[in-house]
């Protein structure tokens, strides 16, 4: 007879009835006698239960929808997963006096082919075609990848290649595949997420792994898979800090990148993480995962030169004037908008923690002026660009700027007095309320409806569209202005069109339904009809 297994705590039924529990697994004596279901808390799980769960985790790569013949022959990914070429230098955390900076590839290259075999068992696509598909879709929103470097690696015949490149391509496959499954249960997504976790556990610290996690986070964010999106982006941020992406001058772990292209790609990847972190935290009170840019941080180069692989100068983030020899591209403007959004979120946190509103009004007016100037600069850029690809990222930068403006204006747009402040502050308070109300009305009635009519269906705009829909509804209920009805219809139509592919927009629509906003508009609920009517 096998030995009895006992839980560390009483079962839920015995604790509720305040009776002594024999703690036998799977059923205690009292529950067995009464014929009741015996349940133990998570912390009281038996060794058998834990073993069962570990077995399930190890089998994550064998998700449904992937042919058994292409699986791992019954052996989990962890068994075969390789280690980096060098072990992680423990003195980095234990005693930096004994730390020797690593070569850029020390923790990314593996001498073992297993990781490629694991991914190759599943990813039998034309990898060049897969990369082209990515560069023609997600890359237009977030151009963090170097086209030149990506194809050099994909076409390389070298025996030693970055193992995490395969993981990045697997994440690209997950992002681009519509297999009819619920996004959070997609076979490709579960496989990519599992293998990225294995790579982290194995000690890989490299740019491709960071980019794979960023892509997973964008996938989760776009499909409203929370809190996974938040935690995945945090993992990308932590690995990015280890790589020194946040402050390349004071990086201790690795030597400087060997090429200009790699340095620029590192910069763009870190800006992408920063941008996503601020966008994800607009509605939360959580501390920011990604630190603020350092004082000498550079903006990404203009997008045209980046796509062509040219080496050109970069503009600094903090500057009193811009050089006539360079131009700020659409992605750089997205970064500027994200930086301003970060300033607004910090200002909001300060406002919530102090009763002295008057002391914050000068800063609020300064933020308004800076955002207005950036808004005008982005609009001029969009009107002057001839490339449809760059106009898409330009529209995204304008949407992000609008998010920052709305977050600021909502702090001061209320008609009621903000606080009991000194008489000398009343005029400034009224001025900030005036510009806030005017700004909310302009963005809601003109700017975002025009963006919605562009119909680019990007999930990164969903939050701003939702926010504007609530503002339009407020104006409709107050004044019943025809222009606001029209604006609300445009915004809701774009959310419904976006929701055909991205669950995030659908969830925002559900919130609008709960708030009664959708009852104010007459927009066809059929996504296909919506797309047809908007394109016509």
């Amino acid at each position: 007879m096998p030995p009895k297994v006992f839980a560390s705590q009483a079962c839920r039924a015995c604790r509720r009835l305040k009776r002594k529990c024999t703690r036998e697994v799977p059923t205690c004596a009292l529950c067995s006698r009464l014929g009741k279901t015996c349940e133990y808390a998570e912390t009281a799980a038996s060794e058998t239960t834990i073993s069962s769960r570990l077995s399930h985790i190890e089998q994550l790569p064998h998700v449904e929808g992937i042919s058994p013949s292409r699986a791992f022959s019954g052996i989990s990914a962890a068994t075969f997963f390789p280690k980096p070429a060098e072990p992680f230098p423990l003195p980095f955390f234990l005693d930096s006096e004994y730390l020797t900076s690593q070569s850029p590839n020390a923790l990314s290259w593996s001498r073992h082919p297993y990781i490629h075999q694991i991914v190759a068992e599943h990813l039998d696509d034309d990898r060049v075609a897969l990369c082209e598909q990515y560069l023609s879709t997600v890359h237009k929103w977030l151009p963090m990848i170097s086209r030149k470097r990506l194809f050099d690696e994909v076409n390389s015949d070298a025996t030693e290649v970055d193992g995490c490149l395969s993981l990045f391509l697997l994440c690209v496959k997950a992002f681009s595949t519509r297999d009819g499954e619920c996004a959070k249960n997609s076979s490709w997504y579960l496989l990519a997420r599992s293998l990225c976790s294995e790579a982290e556990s194995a000690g890989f610290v490299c740019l491709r792994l960071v980019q794979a996690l960023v892509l997973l986070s964008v996938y989760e964010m776009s499909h409203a898979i929370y809190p996974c999106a938040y935690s995945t982006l945090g993992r990308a941020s932590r690995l990015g800090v280890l790589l020194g992406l946040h402050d390349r001058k004071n990086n201790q772990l690795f030597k400087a990148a060997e090429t200009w292209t790699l340095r620029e790609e590192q910069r763009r990847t870190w800006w992408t993480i920063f941008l996503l972190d601020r966008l994800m935290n607009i509605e939360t009170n959580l501390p920011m995962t990604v630190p603020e840019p350092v004082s000498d941080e550079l903006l990404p180069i203009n997008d045209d030169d980046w796509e062509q692989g040219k080496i050109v100068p970069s503009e600094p983030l903090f500057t009193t004037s811009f050089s006539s020899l360079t131009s700020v591209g659409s992605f750089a403007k997205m970064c500027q908008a994200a930086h301003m959004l970060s300033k607004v979120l910090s200002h909001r946190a300060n406002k919530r923690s102090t009763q002295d509103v008057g002391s914050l009004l000068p800063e609020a007016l300064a933020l308004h002026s800076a955002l207005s100037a950036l808004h005008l600069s982005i609009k001029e850029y969009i009107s002057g660009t001839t490339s449809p690809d760059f106009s898409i990222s330009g529209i995204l930068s304008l949407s992000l700027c609008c998010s920052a403006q709305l977050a600021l204006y909502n702090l001061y747009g209320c008609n009621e007095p903000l606080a009991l402040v000194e008489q000398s502050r009343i005029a400034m308070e009224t001025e900030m309320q005036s510009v806030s109300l005017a700004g909310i009305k302009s963005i809601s009635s003109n700017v975002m409806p025009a963006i919605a009519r562009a119909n680019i269906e990007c999930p990164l705009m969903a939050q701003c569209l939702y926010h504007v829909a609530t503002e339009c509804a407020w104006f409709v209920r107050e004044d019943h202005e025809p222009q606001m009805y029209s604006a609300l219809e445009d915004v809701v139509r774009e959310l419904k069109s976006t929701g055909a592919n991205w669950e995030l927009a659908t969830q925002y629509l559900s919130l609008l339904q709960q708030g009664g906003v959708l009852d104010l508009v007459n927009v066809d609920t059929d996504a296909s009809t919506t797309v047809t009517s908007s394109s016509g």
Side-chain angles (χ1 to χ4, degrees):
M1 178 181 295
K4 292 185 178 180
V5 179
F6 296 91
S8 60
Q9 298 180 15
C11 72
R12 289 194 172 108
C14 289
R15 279 189 290 164
R16 186 175 66 252
L17 298 173
K18 293 183 171 55
R19 296 187 179 184
K20 186 174 181 180
C21 180
T22 59
R23 297 186 288 110
E24 295 174 14
V25 176
T27 304
C28 72
L30 180 61
C31 289
S32 178
R33 180 165 55 84
L34 297 178
K36 294 182 175 293
T37 301
C38 189
E39 296 180 347
Y40 291 96
E42 288 292 320
T43 55
S46 67
E47 292 183 6
T48 303
T49 305
I50 294 173
S51 175
S52 174
R53 288 174 183 167
L54 288 175
S55 176
H56 171 70
I57 292 172
E58 288 183 348
Q59 296 303 319
L60 271 177
H62 305 278
V63 289
E64 292 183 11
I66 298 179
S67 171
S69 63
R70 296 160 61 195
F72 305 142
S73 303
I75 304 177
S76 72
T79 305
F80 276 147
F81 215 89
K83 305 291 183 183
E86 302 292 337
F88 188 92
L90 294 182
F92 179 81
F93 286 104
L94 304 183
D95 190 343
S96 59
E97 291 291 329
Y98 295 93
L99 177 67
T100 301
S101 295
Q102 306 294 299
S103 67
N105 297 323
L107 303 180
S108 61
W109 299 83
S110 175
R111 298 188 181 93
H112 306 287
Y114 298 131
I115 187 171
H116 310 293
Q117 292 176 6
I118 291 172
V119 176
E121 288 289 327
H122 303 279
L123 191 65
D124 55 4
D125 306 63
D126 181 342
R127 299 193 174 196
V128 172
L130 187 64
C131 292
E132 288 288 2
Q133 182 183 8
Y134 169 80
L135 293 170
S136 65
T137 51
V138 183
H139 183 71
K140 292 181 180 180
W141 314 337
L142 298 169
M144 66 176 176
I145 300 296
S146 164
R147 177 187 294 266
K148 177 175 66 176
R149 212 172 71 86
L150 178 62
F151 284 118
D152 283 347
E153 290 187 2
V154 168
N155 294 322
S156 174
D157 294 327
T159 55
E160 285 190 348
V161 295
D162 188 344
C164 292
L165 171 65
S166 298
L167 295 184
F168 173 77
L169 294 177
L170 193 62
C171 292
V172 169
K173 176 69 175 179
F175 211 111
S176 60
T177 301
R178 296 286 185 273
D179 50 15
E181 295 178 289
C182 174
K184 68 188 304 181
N185 296 323
S186 166
S187 302
W188 292 107
Y189 161 64
L190 293 176
L191 178 62
R193 185 173 178 84
S194 174
L195 292 182
C196 282
S197 297
E198 294 289 356
E200 288 181 81
S201 299
F204 283 87
V205 181
C206 60
L207 184 62
R208 289 299 183 210
L209 179 55
V210 172
Q211 291 169 337
L213 289 171
V214 169
L215 206 54
L216 276 181
S217 179
V218 176
Y219 177 94
E220 292 164 341
M221 183 179 178
S222 301
H223 291 292
I225 306 174
Y226 286 102
C228 288
Y230 179 79
S231 61
T232 302
L233 189 66
R235 290 157 59 196
S237 174
R238 288 291 191 181
L239 283 177
V241 168
L242 279 179
L243 282 168
L245 303 187
H246 68 301
D247 185 2
R248 281 163 290 280
K249 287 180 62 177
N250 296 310
N251 179 29
Q252 295 178 295
L253 183 57
F254 292 100
K255 298 175 183 176
E258 299 169 346
T259 65
W260 178 91
T261 300
L262 179 56
R263 286 195 295 273
E264 175 67 13
E265 189 168 359
Q266 290 174 339
R267 179 177 300 111
R268 284 173 168 262
T269 300
W270 185 251
W271 270 117
T272 299
I273 296 172
F274 177 87
L275 184 157
L276 293 172
D277 180 66
R278 296 321 190 250
L279 183 61
M280 199 179 296
N281 281 283
I282 289 178
E283 295 296 332
T284 73
N285 296 320
L286 297 172
M288 300 301 170
T289 304
V290 185
E292 290 289 332
V294 294
S295 58
D296 59 349
E297 183 60 78
L298 298 176
L299 290 168
I301 65 169
N302 75 81
D303 305 272
D304 190 20
D305 289 328
W306 176 243
E307 289 303 304
Q308 296 180 38
K310 294 181 179 179
I311 299 176
V312 296
S314 303
E315 285 282 5
L317 173 65
F318 302 101
T319 182
T320 56
S321 61
F322 287 114
S323 169
S324 60
L325 301 177
T326 59
S327 61
V328 177
S330 55
F331 185 57
K333 291 190 179 297
M334 286 180 68
C335 298
Q336 289 176 319
H339 182 238
M340 289 305 304
L341 174 60
S342 183
K343 294 292 186 184
V344 171
L345 296 181
S346 296
H347 178 83
R348 183 178 68 183
N350 291 336
K351 184 174 182 294
R352 287 172 173 171
S353 63
T354 181
Q355 297 298 318
D356 186 10
V357 179
S359 64
L360 294 175
L361 286 170
E363 181 182 67
L365 285 168
L367 287 171
H368 160 68
S369 297
L371 282 165
S372 297
L374 178 61
H375 187 115
L376 180 60
S377 172
I378 295 172
K379 290 183 71 174
E380 290 175 348
Y381 173 85
I382 294 173
S383 62
T385 186
T386 57
S387 170
D389 292 348
F390 301 152
S391 66
I392 289 176
S393 51
I395 289 171
L396 286 174
S397 64
L398 185 58
S399 171
L400 194 59
C401 183
C402 288
S403 290
Q405 289 176 291
L406 290 172
L408 175 65
Y409 297 154
N410 280 174
L411 295 174
Y412 297 97
C414 180
N415 285 322
E416 300 298 325
L418 296 176
L420 296 176
V421 296
E422 297 178 4
Q423 186 67 29
S424 60
R425 295 290 184 178
I426 294 297
M428 190 179 294
E429 183 177 359
T430 303
E431 179 185 357
M432 190 62 209
Q433 287 176 343
S434 177
V435 299
S436 296
L437 287 170
I440 292 172
K441 189 167 187 177
S442 174
I443 291 171
S444 301
S445 62
N446 296 314
V447 182
M448 284 308 296
I451 288 176
R453 289 191 295 271
N455 199 225
I456 65 175
E457 300 179 11
C458 175
L460 300 184
M461 292 199 322
Q463 188 278 336
C464 193
L465 290 168
Y466 167 76
H467 192 158
V468 166
T470 62
E471 299 291 359
C472 287
W474 184 85
F475 282 109
V476 164
R477 287 164 176 154
E478 286 287 332
D479 303 321
H480 303 285
E481 294 183 14
Q483 185 180 11
M484 283 299 177
Y485 277 106
S486 177
L488 182 56
E489 288 181 357
D490 287 334
V491 170
V492 169
R493 186 177 292 110
E494 176 63 4
L495 273 174
K496 289 186 176 181
S497 181
T498 304
N501 292 315
W502 310 108
E503 178 64 19
L504 178 63
T506 302
Q507 291 298 322
Y508 276 128
L509 286 168
S510 177
L511 294 177
L512 293 177
Q513 182 69 59
Q514 292 179 43
V517 175
L518 297 187
D519 297 333
L520 302 175
V521 295
N522 182 23
V523 178
D524 197 330
T525 56
D526 184 351
S528 61
T529 304
T530 300
V531 175
T532 302
S533 61
S534 64
S535 61

